Amino acid sequence: MSDLEPVIGVEIHVQLSTRTKMFCGCAPSFGDAPNTHTCPVCLAHPGVLPVVNGEAVRRALIIGLALGCEIAPRSIFHRKNYFYPDLPKAYQISQFDIPICGRGEFTAIREDGSELKVGITRAHLEEDAAKLTHGGGRRAGADGSVVDFNRGGTPLVEIVTEPDLRSAADTAIFLRQLRQTLLFLGVSDCSMEEGSMRADANVSVRPVGSQTLGVKTELKNMNSFRFLERGVEAEIARQREIIASGGHVQQETVHYEPDTGHITSLRSKEESHDYRYFPEPDLVPVAPDPAWVERLRSEQPELPIPLRRRLVVEMGLTQEDAEVITGSPELVAYFMEAAGLADPKSCANWIRGELRAQLRELGQEPWESNVTPAHVAALVGLLADGTVSVPAAKEVLAGVIETGDDPATVVEARGLGQMDAGDLSAIIGEIVNANPDQAQQLRDGKDKVMGFFVGQAMKRTGGRAEPQAVQALVRAAVLGE
Amino acid sequence: MGLRDLSATEQIGELAAGRVSSLELVEAHLDAIARDDVEAFLAVDAEGARARAREIDALPERPPLGGIPLGVKDALSTRDIVTTSGSKMLEGFRPVYTATCVARLEQAGAVVVGKTNMDEFAMGSSTENSAYKNTFNPWDHARVPGGSSGGSAAAVSAREVPWSLGSDTGGSIRQPAALCGIVGMKPTYGAISRYGLIAFASSLDQVGPFARTVADAALLLQHMVGRDPMDSTSLEWPTPIEVPVATDLAGLRIGVVEELMGEGIDPGVKAAVEAALVKAEALGATIVPVSLPTALSGLATYYVLAPAECSANLSRFDGIRYGPSAEADNLLDQYEVTRGRLFGPEVKRRIMLGTFALASGYYDQYYGRAQRVRTLIVREFAQAFEGVDVLASPTSPTVAFPIGDRTADPYAMYLADVCTIPASLAGLPAISIPCGLSDGLPVGLQLAGPAFSENCLLDAAHALEQVIAFDTCPPGLAT
């Protein structure tokens, strides 16, 4: 039997963080008291009509432009019909054959720097369903169910990819970087936990080299990238096993149980659904002014993937630095401001390293803290001109976090300036004289003992000594170098 | 002559002259409604109407519509007044909001006295599909008033209100207007906001006025047209609706639709329409024959498209959020029992027709094809209007038929709308005015025009109305 390769495509639902719902004036909400953000329109009272949220259209266009999609000059809405208590009209207003954003392509970057190109089939606008809570669990047969219509009608963009992914790891990389891009566009909170970003994966396997697609299953309801990656992995393994044992994969919706690592089938009346799509007669076509679309294109922010490339190529950051820095638009803005004032690579080191480490204990992000990008640049400057040692710089940073004073002031106030070379030399002399055994070990070539001298020097100087200077002075004193 | 014999315009005049108060007018009409023997109303808001009349009487300046009574089809949402759309599905349902068109009229000084009977969810041509009761034709109580807005038409004909609102999807204003001997108009699609009109077929539904004179219909229309931010399909209205004053038809080219003057049209109806056309010619109009070959396919097209849309529009009625609800052990039963018990047979028939027409594998054959025919009909009208200003035809192929006559044969009932459906499919304005009697029953003349030609249609209808001089008072009506 020939080798099997996995073929994966994903569908991503992104809730747009607009002030109002897709077709009415209610505020979408997460976590508010149930059924407090409703009106006759989103409760589907008799006689009401939908009106398209213009801001949702704008955001869908922004997403489409960022994904390199063709923008439809005129797209229309369809009704997708099915009965369920979370859908008050018993149809979802969605898009069908003419979505607002057509074909596009998204390029992600793997850790090794290689490109991962994923075709975008479409991105369309629709409305979210309400939130249904079943009394005894998620499946049918449970006692009693309640509906919270707060979420009903929240604007969604559904992004559908081509079956271009070939591994669970690539799927996770693609989704993480897509999420990052969406965050940069400022269109959604993209919280997997709160459900403002949801991803389903279509998984199939086929013999390597085959051009036809195998029977796919749809892996649903993944609420984290990690579970999604594991779920896809598990589903690929399951399908390989089925085929290896001479069986056939059934087209069905499956579910990954994170606790057990098992794939279960979500048996499936819903799969026989005929949604009876037809054009929504209550809405007029969406025909964005081409000049407006061009303006939105020109106003696109620098997106994380190209930005990442630029940080590496132009600013000397490592691939890993760039990935961390592009973690959020706020962090990018923070870094860029610091990097404009001091050596970018050093700024990146301090921001992604010590600054974030110290702030983590406070539960703060850099841009929320007392430390401004100018402070970071100033600190990098103090290190570069030898005013402070690395250990002292860490203390300076702690002082800035505490007080919000600029680093030079903290250095002054706490006496953290680099020691005068003569003073340090004298201290080292004293340490060497006081520890003849260790000095002998060093002469015997046991370099490890250098750590002892550095430690002693740090103790004596309160961390104001630069470790490399200490080492040089110890060598000079002991070995005469 | 009593107060109720006055047209709406005359009643407004009496109010302006201080010879009568809004409360007196409202009382006079409420009294008639209380003695109603045509069963035009489903709900009467006597206290609300009196309170509103008193408020208006106390205003320093009378609003344009003065404070005269208005009947409203039960398909229109009225805050706190029970609104059922003629269905058990909404029995006792009190809406939390008022339809835009009703709110605009109330703002202009109309006093809503009650909600009028109708075919369930506006599906029917005789008001016999009401889940509550039959309405009788004021001209002959053994006959239907037409439908689906039969209650609104009968109420105006029986002088229980000077005017009323209906909705027209395939003829539901024009056909009952014709059968009750009054004026009814369906404006251009998008002229009047549909916000608050309980949807039957969204791409066809339009609200419109019933009145006993063309001028009254124009006045009511005037206060309703225009863009509503709550309805994306509503239109900015280009030029205000004028109350018509024309007395001649000089230069007007009237096309007579050949396909709607032949087979299937009662001879008495045809004769009355032809007589009206002779009068039009005498007023200076040119009469030319026009062919709309696809028009007769309108009926079949309509009975694919309208049920398709209604199958989705009526899905929201599941007994979960409002309205009565069946007790059931599980979700599927909840849907099936609620909908099975509370929808009437015609509604179920159309939901099934529409569901079938949209089914995967049949969509193109039915819905898709019907849309293409609809496009052809739109084009055919456009071509016709290159040569004429208005198109004339009977409004209904027959006069009012006996109650029970067609209830066993849905197709015979559907034929009642054969003349009105084409303009609905094309989204065009059309008006029906009484043009004579056949066997003692009113006959309606339909005039249809291009989009936004309301003023032209109203002028033509008004000029003809003057020379036809139809007496809208049903025989034996005591006012």
Side-chain angles (χ1 to χ4, degrees), chain A residues 386-429:
Chain A
T387 307
V388 293
S389 65
V390 171
K394 291 180 181 177
E395 267 189 65
V396 173
L397 189 58
V400 179
I401 289 172
E402 205 177 297
T403 62
D405 292 337
D406 67 72
T409 309
V410 175
V411 169
E412 187 82 7
R414 307 196 177 182
L416 291 169
Q418 192 97 276
M419 298 210 49
D420 179 82
D423 292 349
L424 184 59
S425 179
I427 290 171
I428 299 294

Side-chain angles (χ1 to χ4, degrees), chain A residues 201-224:
Chain A
N202 291 312
V203 180
S204 62
V205 295
R206 68 179 175 194
V208 171
S210 165
Q211 291 306 304
T212 53
L213 292 168
V215 175
K216 70 176 180 191
T217 58
E218 191 175 3
L219 184 63
K220 271 206 184 276
N221 285 329
M222 305 281 91
N223 64 2
S224 81

Side-chain angles (χ1 to χ4, degrees), chain B residues 260-274:
Chain B
L260 301 178
M261 287 295 275
E263 203 185 333
I265 308 295
D266 272 7
V269 167
K270 193 177 167 191
V273 168
E274 278 169 347

